[in-house]
Amino acid sequence: MSGGISVGSVPEHLALAGVHDPSVIFDTFTDAAGTALSTHTPEKGDSWNIESGAVFDSTGNLARLQSGQATVNTAWINAVSSNLTIQCDVTLAGAGQFSGIIYHVTDSANFLALFAEVDGTLTLRQYTAGVLATVGTVSSDLITLSAATTYTFRIESDGSTVDVYVNSTLEISTNDTDAQAGLGYGLLQWDGVLTGAWDNFRASNAKGVLG
């Protein structure tokens, strides 16, 4: 960092590291390139849980799926509340592939997920015992999502109320009365492609833009 920039009275490098940040989970995925996410230590929060068959690692300052299954690949951190706000910078994979984030995670077969498809849709889905059900969606004529482009996804939940933001714009607002109640928050890549990426992952008791 240069120029002595500060956030309030906190130097920039400490602010970015999560000092005086209300987040209970925070990870910039900064580590030696090739470090497995299963052994990586986040700036805040517990260690990462990795779905069997999936391999996530750090590229140095991003998380990527390095190998995975033909369907769902997930990684998550457990917290102490099911009503946290989750936010992450997600670089989308190619057309026909889904990148996203997950929350209310109980295990790799039970969670709520935000699926983003290039030139397709933004979809909020519930995954229960390995079966997907759509909770809310935004079609491609209302939002444009491009490959190799990074978007800031944010999900705010309060009981059954779920709001989804893309780059601070509210795109989905729904009431999910059958919502999962797990305490995990994390990453999702569908179809095992290796071109999606994640950065600045946060889960917080605060509402609004995190960080």
Side-chain angles (χ1 to χ4, degrees):
M1 303 295 174
S2 61
I5 300 171
S6 63
V7 179
S9 60
V10 182
E12 182 188 26
H13 72 286
L14 293 180
L16 293 177
V19 175
H20 295 182
D21 185 338
S23 298
V24 296
I25 299 171
F26 178 45
D27 202 348
T28 61
F29 305 106
T30 301
D31 214 323
T35 299
L37 218 56
S38 58
T39 62
H40 164 77
T41 301
E43 281 89 340
K44 285 187 176 182
D46 290 338
S47 58
W48 285 93
N49 300 280
I50 311 298
E51 179 176 7
S52 178
V55 177
F56 289 83
D57 69 12
S58 170
T59 66
N61 58 2
L62 297 168
R64 287 191 186 273
L65 177 69
Q66 292 302 322
S67 64
Q69 306 170 97
T71 53
V72 65
N73 297 275
T74 57
W76 69 94
I77 293 176
N78 290 319
V80 295
S81 171
S82 61
N83 282 321
L84 298 180
T85 297
I86 178 176
Q87 178 178 296
C88 189
D89 298 332
V90 181
T91 302
L92 300 188
Q97 312 296 335
F98 295 92
S99 306
I101 51 179
I102 55 175
Y103 68 116
H104 292 182
V105 183
T106 299
D107 53 37
S108 60
N110 296 275
F111 53 80
L112 285 161
L114 179 63
F115 285 74
E117 181 184 9
V118 171
D119 298 327
T121 57
L122 184 72
T123 308
L124 191 64
R125 290 174 172 160
Q126 183 163 281
Y127 199 55
T128 304
V131 178
L132 282 171
T134 297
V135 176
T137 186
V138 179
S139 64
S140 58
D141 60 340
L142 298 177
I143 187 171
T144 300
L145 300 172
S146 302
T149 302
T150 302
Y151 300 91
T152 300
F153 294 146
R154 186 172 86 251
I155 302 172
E156 296 183 3
S157 63
D158 187 1
S160 62
T161 302
V162 182
D163 293 330
V164 176
Y165 297 81
V166 179
N167 295 341
S168 297
T169 299
L170 179 63
E171 298 288 359
I172 298 174
S173 185
T174 187
N175 192 294
D176 181 17
T177 57
D178 296 321
Q180 299 280 355
L183 302 178
Y185 302 84
L187 320 177
L188 166 83
Q189 183 63 59
W190 196 267
D191 290 338
V193 295
L194 309 180
T195 53
W198 299 265
D199 197 9
N200 299 316
F201 181 85
R202 298 176 186 268
S204 174
N205 286 300
K207 301 297 184 185
V209 177
L210 303 180

